[in-house]
Amino acid sequence: MKDASKSVHYRNFWSGFLLGVGFVAFFDEAVFHQLLHWHHFYDKSITTIGLISDGFFHAFSWFATVYSLYMMAILRQEKQFLQSIWWGSILLGVGIFQLYDGIIQHKIMRIHQIRYHVDIFMYDIVWNAAAILFIIVGGTIVRTYLRITKMEGR
């Protein structure tokens, strides 16, 4: 793979990946934090700290989303936008963020759980299984595209 095409692949990948992370973070914050009131980003303190942590989490999700769309706009302007890599990396971003949230934040750091005062075993299974599914599908899309372009010599 030529250095120029490698750079284009990386830029498309990171644009999609950041959009996936930004989207799933926004979805998590809007649905589980605001609408359902199941938890805050940081639940080991008073409610005020939880709300402040939600604000930082929300700002992070918007920064990732806006920057990823800026990257995509540049790629489209340069006519180097690669839809397959971009969509696959969105799914990878969603899955990796969700798996990180489910394993690192929920179980290892214990800064919050999906839900409180219920048996969370099934919530954890569904949350992490969905993350793994996103990773498998996204990774397959990206890998297939790269394999095809390598065979074609692009």
Side-chain angles (χ1 to χ4, degrees):
M1 182 183 316
K2 299 174 192 157
D3 286 340
S5 65
K6 195 175 193 180
S7 171
V8 170
H9 291 152
Y10 284 134
R11 291 169 49 215
N12 276 273
F13 177 86
W14 285 110
S15 171
F17 187 86
L18 283 175
L19 184 60
V21 169
F23 171 76
V24 77
F26 173 76
F27 179 83
D28 180 326
E29 201 266 332
V31 173
F32 299 113
H33 300 214
Q34 293 179 11
L35 297 174
L36 297 174
H37 299 257
W38 282 3
H39 64 261
H40 296 291
F41 179 74
Y42 184 76
D43 275 339
K44 289 185 156 194
S45 187
I46 60 174
T47 303
T48 302
I49 299 300
L51 290 171
I52 291 169
S53 71
D54 285 348
F56 284 118
F57 184 50
H58 191 70
F60 162 77
S61 72
W62 275 110
F63 174 77
T65 301
V66 169
Y67 187 66
S68 72
L69 294 174
Y70 169 75
M71 291 171 68
M72 184 184 105
I74 290 171
L75 288 163
R76 290 180 67 89
Q77 184 180 33
E78 295 172 348
K79 299 194 182 335
Q80 295 183 333
F81 179 67
L82 304 173
Q83 194 168 346
S84 294
I85 288 180
W86 193 74
W87 281 106
S89 62
I90 287 174
L91 295 175
L92 278 169
V94 167
I96 290 171
F97 177 85
Q98 191 165 324
L99 194 61
Y100 162 80
D101 185 41
I103 302 295
I104 305 297
Q105 291 184 357
H106 295 179
K107 299 303 169 200
I108 295 173
M109 295 172 64
R110 296 190 167 276
I111 62 173
H112 66 262
Q113 291 298 321
I114 294 173
R115 194 167 181 193
Y116 293 99
H117 311 298
V118 297
D119 181 14
I120 60 170
F121 179 74
M122 285 310 295
Y123 289 94
D124 287 336
I125 295 296
V126 170
W127 189 260
N128 292 322
I132 291 167
L133 182 63
F134 283 124
I135 292 168
I136 290 169
V137 172
T140 301
I141 292 169
V142 170
R143 216 173 30 251
T144 301
Y145 177 84
L146 293 175
R147 187 172 50 242
I148 290 169
T149 57
K150 186 176 182 180
M151 288 179 358
E152 293 174 352
R154 290 193 272 164

